C-alpha cells in the first residue's frame, strides 16, 4: 500500500440538510481523525466520536465517511483532519521473517505523521527562505500589551503602547485629541459640560437659541443710546450728556463713558476731566453734524465724524493736561 495523496484535511460548509461527509484520505484508525465544528463567529468546537459523529472506512486507501449526529447549519463549517498519534508500535523480533505488510504499515503511519506536521506548519508564521533569523520565541501573553521587536531586532517582547510611541484611541488631549470616545465625554474633557453638548447637537443658530432658551438679538436694542446698554457692554454705568457742546461750562465729566445723543449740530470741546486716564464719548448723531473743536490733539489718520453713522465712538486720552483723540470710529447704523 502507498500514500499517494498529500491531502490530510478537508473543510465542508454546512447547509442545514447534509449530515454525511466524505473523508477523502486514508486513515488507519478512527482515533487518527479529528472533527471540529466551527460556528459563524469563528468559534471552534471539537466533536466526540460516538456522540457527535460516527466514522467508517478505517484502513481503506480511498478514505471513508463521517456521519454527523446533528446536521451542520448554514454558516457553520465542518473540519475533518487526520491527526495520527506520534508513537511507533511495530516491534521486529530478531531472526523472525521480515513482514512486508507490517513494515509498510509503519511507513504509511510515519508518512501520515509527516503530512499532519506539514499541515500545521503551513498554518504557522515563518520567515522567508533567505532569512538568517533563528531562535525567535514568542513571549508569554500579557494583558493590554503588544508584541514587538526588541531594539536589536533579534527577539520579540511585550510592550505597552506608550512605550512604542504610538497613539491609542481615544487620543489624549495633550496629543491633540479629546481624550474621549463619545461627544459627551469629549465636551466635559474640554470644560463645556452639558451646555456644550446641547450646542454641539444643533445645526442652525436658531436651534442653539431654542435649546438654550434664549431669544435672537434685537439690533435696535443693541444699538440703543441708553446708559443700561453701555453699562452692559463696558461694565460701568455711562454718564448721559445733552446739549450742543462739551465745553467745561456745560459738561463736568464724572464717568469714563459719556453717552451724548445729538439733537442739533454740535461741537466736541474739552470738558472738565477729573483725572488723567481714558474716556470714551458715545455720540449718537441721529443725522446731526458733529464738529471737532479746539483743545484736542487729532492724529491725521483719524476719519471725520459721519452724521449718518449709528454711533460715533471717540476715545480720548488725558495725560498731563494733554488731551489726545486716539480713536474715532463711525459705527454702522
Amino acid at each position: 500500500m502507498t500514500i499517494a495523496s498529500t491531502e490530510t484535511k478537508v473543510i465542508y460548509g454546512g447547509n442545514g440538510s447534509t449530515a454525511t461527509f466524505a473523508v477523502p484520505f486514508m486513515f488507519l484508525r478512527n482515533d487518527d481523525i479529528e472533527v471540529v465544528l466551527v460556528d459563524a463567529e469563528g468559534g471552534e468546537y471539537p466533536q466526540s466520536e460516538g456522540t457527535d459523529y460516527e466514522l467508517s472506512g478505517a484502513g481503506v486507501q480511498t478514505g471513508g465517511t463521517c456521519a454527523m449526529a446533528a446536521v451542520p447549519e448554514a454558516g457553520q463549517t465542518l473540519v475533518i483532519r487526520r491527526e495520527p498519534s506520534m508513537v511507533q508500535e511495530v516491534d521486529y523480533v530478531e531472526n523472525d521473517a521480515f513482514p512486508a505488510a507490517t513494515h509498510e504499515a509503519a511507513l504509511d503511519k510515519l508518512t501520515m505523521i509527516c503530512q499532519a506536521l506539514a499541515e500545521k506548519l503551513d498554518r504557522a508564521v515563518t520567515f522567508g527562505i533567505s532569512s538568517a533569523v533563528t531562535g525567535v520565541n514568542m513571549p508569554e501573553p500579557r494583558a493590554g500589551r503588544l508584541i514587538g521587536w526588541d531594539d536589536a531586532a533579534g527577539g520579540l517582547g511585550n510592550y505597552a503602547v506608550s512605550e512604542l510611541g504610538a497613539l491609542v484611541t481615544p487620543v489624549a488631549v495633550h496629543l491633540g485629541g479629546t481624550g474621549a470616545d463619545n461627544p459627551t465625554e469629549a465636551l466635559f474633557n474640554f470644560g463645556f459640560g452639558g451646555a456644550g453638548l446641547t450646542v454641539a447637537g444643533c445645526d442652525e443658530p436658531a436651534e442653539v437659541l431654542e435649546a438654550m432658551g434664549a431669544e435672537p438679538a434685537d439690533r435696535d436694542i443693541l444699538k440703543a443710546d441708553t446708559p443700561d446698554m453701555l453699562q452692559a457692554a463696558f461694565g460701568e454705568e455711562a454718564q448721559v450728556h445733552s446739549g450742543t457742546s462739551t465745553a467745561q461750562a456745560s459738561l463736568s465729566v464724572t464717568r469714563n463713558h459719556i453717552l451724548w445723543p445729538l439733537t442739533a449740530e454740535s461741537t466736541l470741546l474739552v470738558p472738565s476731566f477729573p483725572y488723567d486716564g481714558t474716556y470714551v464719548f458715545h455720540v449718537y448723531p441721529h443725522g446731526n453734524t458733529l464738529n471737532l473743536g479746539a483743545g484736542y490733539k487729532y492724529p491725521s489718520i483719524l476719519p471725520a465724524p459721519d452724521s449718518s453713522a449709528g454711533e460715533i465712538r471717540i476715545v480720548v486720552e488725558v495725560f498731563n493736561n494733554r488731551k489726545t483723540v486716539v480713536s474715532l470710529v463711525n459705527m454702522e447704523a
Side-chain angles (χ1 to χ4, degrees):
M1 189 182 299
T2 62
I3 306 296
S5 173
T6 59
E7 189 173 17
T8 186
K9 181 174 72 174
V10 64
I11 300 175
Y12 294 102
N15 58 14
S17 60
T18 302
T20 302
F21 301 89
V23 183
F25 42 80
M26 180 184 177
F27 56 98
L28 299 177
R29 299 182 303 182
N30 287 0
D31 290 345
D32 294 345
I33 295 297
E34 181 182 24
V35 179
V36 178
L37 186 66
V38 184
D39 63 19
E41 286 73 38
E44 298 182 348
Y45 301 92
Q47 305 293 286
S48 300
E49 185 187 5
T51 302
D52 301 312
Y53 66 91
E54 297 289 343
L55 285 173
S56 62
V60 178
Q61 190 168 17
T62 56
T65 59
C66 173
M68 298 296 295
V71 176
E73 300 294 332
Q76 292 181 325
T77 302
L78 187 68
V79 180
I80 304 172
R81 72 170 183 164
R82 185 173 57 206
E83 182 75 2
S85 58
M86 295 186 186
V87 294
Q88 205 290 99
E89 299 173 321
V90 177
D91 183 22
Y92 292 103
V93 179
E94 190 174 356
N95 296 322
D96 271 5
F98 187 79
T102 301
H103 184 68
E104 188 175 19
L107 292 176
D108 288 344
K109 182 175 182 181
L110 182 60
T111 301
M112 293 178 186
I113 291 174
C114 291
Q115 290 179 344
L117 292 174
E119 188 273 330
K120 291 181 179 179
L121 287 173
D122 285 343
R123 290 184 281 109
V125 178
T126 60
F127 295 105
I129 294 175
S130 61
S131 176
V133 177
T134 59
V136 176
N137 298 310
M138 291 291 290
E140 288 295 316
R142 289 187 62 186
R145 297 299 180 102
L146 299 179
I147 296 176
W149 292 105
D150 58 22
D151 292 338
L156 297 173
N158 290 305
Y159 300 95
V161 175
S162 57
E163 295 173 355
L164 301 176
L167 291 177
V168 296
T169 54
V171 179
V173 174
H174 74 278
L175 294 176
T178 65
D181 54 12
N182 61 81
T184 303
E185 187 177 345
L187 289 165
F188 273 100
N189 288 350
F190 283 128
F192 289 102
L197 179 61
T198 299
V199 174
C202 299
D203 295 323
E204 301 293 336
E207 295 180 15
V208 176
L209 294 172
E210 182 179 356
M212 299 182 67
E215 295 292 336
D218 188 326
R219 292 174 59 88
D220 293 335
I221 293 177
L222 292 178
K223 295 188 296 181
D225 49 354
T226 62
D228 290 341
M229 187 63 232
L230 292 179
Q231 182 177 2
F234 295 98
E236 67 173 0
E237 183 180 351
Q239 176 183 352
V240 180
H241 174 61
S242 61
T244 59
S245 172
T246 56
Q248 292 187 11
S250 59
L251 174 59
S252 179
V253 175
T254 59
R255 299 278 184 177
N256 287 89
H257 289 270
I258 301 94
L259 186 150
W260 185 18
L262 303 186
T263 56
E265 182 176 349
S266 305
T267 303
L268 180 71
L269 295 172
V270 177
S272 174
F273 291 110
Y275 47 78
D276 288 354
T278 302
Y279 300 86
V280 182
F281 289 88
H282 301 273
V283 182
Y284 294 86
H286 298 301
N288 298 297
T289 300
L290 176 66
N291 301 304
L292 301 179
Y296 292 102
K297 175 178 174 58
Y298 297 103
S300 59
I301 61 173
L302 292 180
D306 185 355
S307 61
S308 65
E311 174 191 343
I312 304 172
R313 187 169 299 172
I314 303 171
V315 179
V316 176
E317 286 284 350
V318 178
F319 182 71
N320 284 342
N321 291 321
R322 183 183 181 90
K323 289 83 175 176
T324 305
V325 176
V326 296
S327 172
L328 188 155
V329 180
N330 294 301
M331 310 295 288
E332 182 182 354

